């Protein structure tokens, strides 16, 4: 009887280990998938209350609205965080890549002051100059900036209200570094950012107080 009891206990332990083993997986999760850290979630998703969901800070819309028919499958965008940067006790993802550029690339438009002393930090990376808020200029996330290949080029930006504007690429919205004097203390940009001047926001008829709005963009 004793040997039988030991055998049953051993089998029970083996079954428990087999059942719990998948829970230890660190596979990348999609919408509503289980997560514990930011790096557990695919694409623009973040970990909220143990599930991967859209990031309200950047206005991503991979999980909500439209039935998902206009969103590309998660497997088409393999751009994942390359690490994290801790600023003032908060962890931010770092990226060396961005989603593929198309004829209507989804992005988050943010507001930037490219003038001297503005929140853009130093002079623009493309021309080493500052730019007035009246100029229609933008900075692109590191992946889209593509090692200066888009410097001086015009892009077309379209807002959800139907208005569009063209703007010149003059700077990089650094997705790899931040929280220092060079970046005016700002954390790393997400990998889907078009950082526009006040003139860009005005041309699109957008309320600058919003700070971040969803847009689409393409090369002009």
């Amino acid at each position: 009887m004793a040997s039988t009891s030991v055998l049953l206990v051993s089998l029970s332990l083996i079954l428990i280990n087999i059942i719990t083993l998948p829970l230890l997986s660190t596979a990348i999760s999609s919408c509503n998938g289980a997560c514990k850290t930011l790096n557990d979630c695919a694409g623009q998703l973040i970990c909220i209350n143990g599930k991967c969901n859209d990031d309200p800070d950047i206005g991503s819309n991979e999980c909500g609205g439209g039935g998902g028919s206009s969103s590309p499958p998660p497997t088409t965008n393999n751009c994942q965080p390359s690490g994290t940067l801790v600023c003032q006790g908060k962890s931010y993802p770092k990226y060396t890549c961005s989603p593929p550029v198309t004829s209507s690339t989804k992005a988050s438009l943010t507001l930037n002051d490219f003038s001297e002393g503005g929140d853009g930090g130093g002079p623009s990376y493309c021309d080493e100059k500052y730019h007035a808020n009246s100029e229609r200029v933008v900075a692109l996330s590191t992946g889209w900036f593509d090692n200066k290949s888009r410097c001086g080029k015009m892009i077309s930006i379209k807002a959800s209200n139907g208005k569009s504007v063209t703007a010149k690429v003059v700077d990089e919205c650094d997705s790899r570094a931040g929280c220092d004097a060079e970046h005016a203390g700002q954390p790393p940009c997400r990998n889907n950012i078009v950082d526009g001047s006040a003139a860009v926001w005005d041309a699109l008829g957008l309320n600058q107080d919003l700070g971040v709005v969803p847009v689409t963009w393409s090369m002009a």
Side-chain angles (χ1 to χ4, degrees):
M1 291 293 293
S3 59
T4 302
S5 299
V6 171
L7 180 60
L8 288 173
V9 170
S10 299
L11 288 174
S12 297
L13 291 174
I14 292 172
L15 287 172
I16 290 172
N17 288 332
I18 292 175
I19 292 171
T20 57
L21 185 60
L23 298 177
L24 301 177
S25 173
T26 57
I28 298 297
S29 296
S30 56
C31 291
N32 297 316
C35 61
K36 289 186 177 180
T37 69
L38 181 66
N39 291 339
D40 294 337
C41 300
Q44 304 299 313
L45 306 181
I46 61 171
C47 190
I48 302 176
N49 296 327
K51 290 187 177 182
C52 293
N53 214 324
D54 291 316
D55 187 344
D57 292 332
I58 64 172
S60 60
N61 192 32
E62 296 182 26
C63 297
S69 59
S70 61
S71 300
T75 54
T76 64
N77 176 19
N78 294 320
C79 181
Q80 301 298 328
S82 59
T84 57
L85 181 65
V86 178
C87 303
Q88 298 179 351
K90 185 175 180 179
S91 181
Y92 296 91
K94 298 190 296 183
Y95 293 90
T96 59
C97 56
S98 291
V101 176
T102 67
S103 59
S104 184
T105 312
K106 292 182 178 181
S108 292
L109 178 68
T110 52
L111 179 63
N112 188 33
D113 183 352
F114 292 85
S115 64
E116 188 170 4
D119 53 17
S124 297
Y125 190 26
C126 290
D127 55 13
E128 294 298 324
K129 295 179 180 179
Y130 293 100
H131 295 269
N133 291 322
S134 58
E135 295 183 61
R136 295 177 180 177
V137 293
V138 298
L140 297 178
S141 291
T142 294
W144 287 338
F145 189 67
D146 194 26
N147 294 317
K148 285 190 169 184
S149 73
R150 292 192 167 94
C151 275
K153 295 184 178 180
M154 304 296 291
I155 67 170
S156 177
I157 308 166
K158 187 175 182 178
S160 58
N161 60 13
K163 293 185 177 182
S164 60
V165 66
T166 56
K168 181 190 289 187
V169 178
V170 298
D171 205 357
E172 174 185 15
C173 195
D174 201 335
S175 305
R176 300 167 296 182
C179 304
D180 52 19
E182 181 182 351
H183 299 87
Q186 299 292 323
C189 282
R190 295 300 293 249
N191 67 343
N192 67 333
I193 298 298
V194 174
D195 203 20
S197 63
V200 170
W201 281 68
D202 289 343
L204 292 171
L206 299 172
N207 181 1
Q208 296 181 20
D209 291 336
L210 295 175
V212 183
V213 296
V215 296
T216 58
W217 74 275
S218 63
M219 299 305 300

